[in-house]
Amino acid sequence: MKSAKPWDIFCRVVDNYGDIGVCWRLAADLAARGRQVRLWVDDPRPLSWMAPGALDGCWPGVVRVMPWEQSRDAGLLARLEPAEVWIEGFGCEIAAEFLEHRFYAAQSHPARLAAPPVWINLEYLSAESFVERAHGLPSPVMAGPAKGHTRYFFYPGFTTRTGGLLREPDLTARQTSFDRGAWLASHGIPWQGEQLVALFCYEQAALADLLAMLRRGPAPTRLLVTAGRATAAMAGLPGIVALDQGAQTRAASGVLSTTFLPHLTQIDFDHLLWSSDLNFVRGEDSLVRAVWAGKPFVWQIYPQHDAAHHAKLQTFLQAVEAPQSWWRFHQVWNGIVQEAPEQPDLSVWGKAALQARERLIQQDDLTTRLLRFVESRQRRPDSTPQKS
């Protein structure tokens, strides 16, 4: 299914860039597959380093970044071609003025709206069982300018009965041709064959214990610390000097060396994960990229006050068939178990990570399933939705 009509993706940046990261990857993937995409976002600044050129309209394919406040501008909306698909990222709500323009204007100018858009609520990633039950379900709008219309839940997930995981069609080919040494050298990382550990994390108590574990060896290790909260978390720890954001500052302690990285593009973040022997990731977007890297990784799940994230972490570890030592390390890293982390068994973890990647890569990716779902809604707008 190809169409000249645009798709609208809506994104509100809450914190930590995960929401804009996922929405941008989806927008870029759709554009690479021939769709025109308008990304309405309330804080586009992270795109300046995530996707250089995006804010200037210089991205391959057709992606237009639109300031969120312009979705309330009736004059602008009147000049824009109506989209055939709306995607609300993570339950952010489309501005009432945008809905009023699309639906109320159509009442007086029916020719402007040949068919209502396929309206999708792109939800958070989870391996929990409810995802299969809720994926694809309709949610009728009961009030407001969109009353009488329907939006659909679209849940990313790890099984064929969910929305799947974001993955570009050329991902495997790019990984196969990737030159680790060349990439490290291009970023000024003085790699001498030591073990590489990527750190993308929130602030947390277990970080000091992790550094102590790495210092003990036995293998020489270089810690590659991402800009932002991971760098901030490192500052002030024993043996770590004060840091400037984005600086290539290096510190060494015994068998542990540390490199502090600048902000990386999404493509270079993937390269970081491909280069490292162990990846510490957080949130949703980086978890999926760690899965595709096929390397041992540790996920720091976003904590919830009612500890609901414990069950979410457990179901994910079950989904990737994590061995016991990998499972235990996750519990320690996420503060579920209060003890010092033990040396990871990278051989065992690596085998499990690669097997999980190979199982999941056999499934259709999220964009493929989304395109199929949209096509089914356009063909059968009044029928029971089909699973993607």
Side-chain angles (χ1 to χ4, degrees):
M1 179 193 69
K2 291 206 172 183
S3 172
K5 289 185 174 294
W7 290 37
D8 283 326
I9 300 178
F10 299 85
C11 175
R12 283 190 176 275
V13 180
V14 179
D15 60 5
N16 305 317
Y17 311 127
D19 30 32
I20 183 63
V22 170
C23 289
W24 176 258
R25 284 196 193 270
L26 175 58
D29 195 19
L30 285 166
R33 302 185 196 210
R35 301 316 186 278
Q36 298 180 50
V37 182
R38 294 186 297 237
L39 176 61
W40 302 83
V41 58
D42 63 344
D43 184 4
R45 291 173 297 176
L47 292 176
S48 64
W49 49 267
M50 280 186 183
L55 298 181
D56 304 318
C58 300
W59 191 260
V62 183
V63 181
R64 185 177 176 186
V65 179
M66 307 289 293
W68 184 274
E69 58 269 19
Q70 290 187 357
S71 69
R72 299 186 173 94
D73 185 338
L76 172 68
L77 297 179
R79 297 191 297 272
L80 292 179
E81 181 181 6
E84 65 176 349
V85 180
W86 291 346
I87 300 175
E88 292 177 313
F90 308 110
C92 75
E93 295 188 354
I94 299 173
E97 294 87 345
F98 190 97
L99 298 176
E100 288 171 359
H101 174 82
R102 183 69 192 265
F103 293 124
Y104 288 169
Q107 293 176 4
S108 54
H109 300 86
R112 296 187 57 191
L113 187 61
V118 179
W119 188 354
I120 291 169
N121 182 4
L122 180 64
E123 281 287 352
Y124 290 94
L125 172 67
S126 178
E128 294 169 287
S129 60
F130 77 86
V131 169
E132 288 191 346
R133 298 193 300 271
H135 175 61
L137 290 181
S139 176
V141 179
M142 307 303 293
K147 182 179 179 180
H149 293 274
T150 301
R151 53 186 163 191
Y152 298 90
F153 293 109
F154 199 92
Y155 277 88
F158 299 89
T159 72
T160 57
R161 293 178 60 81
T162 69
L165 304 175
L166 274 170
R167 186 183 76 245
E168 302 79 18
D170 65 345
L171 178 71
T172 300
R174 289 191 289 115
Q175 281 183 283
T176 301
S177 62
F178 177 67
D179 186 330
R180 165 164 140 162
W183 184 82
L184 292 168
S186 71
H187 284 72
I189 299 170
W191 182 50
Q192 301 297 321
E194 68 271 29
Q195 172 180 268
L196 297 177
V197 177
L199 182 67
F200 183 60
C201 69
Y202 309 116
E203 301 83 355
Q204 59 143 289
L207 182 54
D209 288 334
L210 172 68
L211 296 182
M213 182 197 77
L214 294 175
R215 289 191 185 105
R216 291 195 299 269
T221 298
R222 179 169 295 277
L223 186 65
L224 304 176
V225 184
T226 56
R229 289 184 67 171
T231 290
M234 290 282 289
L237 291 178
I240 303 297
V241 297
L243 308 172
D244 294 325
Q245 281 282 348
Q248 288 274 352
T249 310
R250 299 180 185 88
S253 176
V255 297
L256 175 63
S257 300
T258 306
T259 298
F260 296 96
L261 301 171
H263 281 295
L264 299 174
T265 67
Q266 286 192 327
I267 292 173
D268 274 326
F269 184 80
D270 288 348
H271 293 166
L272 171 67
L273 300 184
W274 299 352
S275 296
S276 299
D277 302 293
L278 174 62
N279 292 310
F280 285 83
V281 294
R282 72 183 199 211
E284 178 172 327
D285 179 58
S286 65
L287 171 64
V288 173
R289 308 319 288 190
V291 168
W292 297 139
K295 300 288 190 73
F297 64 87
V298 181
W299 180 33
Q300 185 179 9
I301 190 170
Y302 193 82
Q304 296 173 267
H305 67 88
D306 58 357
H309 60 293
H310 292 186
K312 185 174 181 179
L313 177 63
Q314 177 177 322
T315 56
F316 166 72
L317 293 170
Q318 290 171 338
V320 297
E321 301 181 11
Q324 184 59 39
S325 62
W326 198 12
W327 192 302
R328 187 69 172 181
F329 200 105
H330 271 90
Q331 290 180 310
V332 172
W333 187 243
N334 284 278
I336 300 171
V337 174
Q338 304 299 318
E339 61 183 46
E342 297 182 357
Q343 287 287 344
D345 189 335
L346 296 187
S347 176
V348 172
W349 294 13
K351 182 179 179 180
L354 195 57
Q355 289 174 341
R357 178 188 185 277
E358 293 309 305
R359 287 194 302 271
L360 290 167
I361 213 166
Q362 300 305 313
Q363 299 181 20
D364 287 335
D365 62 272
L366 184 145
T367 303
T368 296
R369 300 187 202 194
L370 179 62
L371 291 168
R372 189 162 59 232
F373 184 85
V374 167
E375 185 177 19
S376 72
R377 294 295 81 232
Q378 291 173 329
R379 286 201 310 259
R380 299 181 295 275
D382 299 319
S383 65
T384 302
Q386 303 295 311
K387 295 290 185 178
S388 66

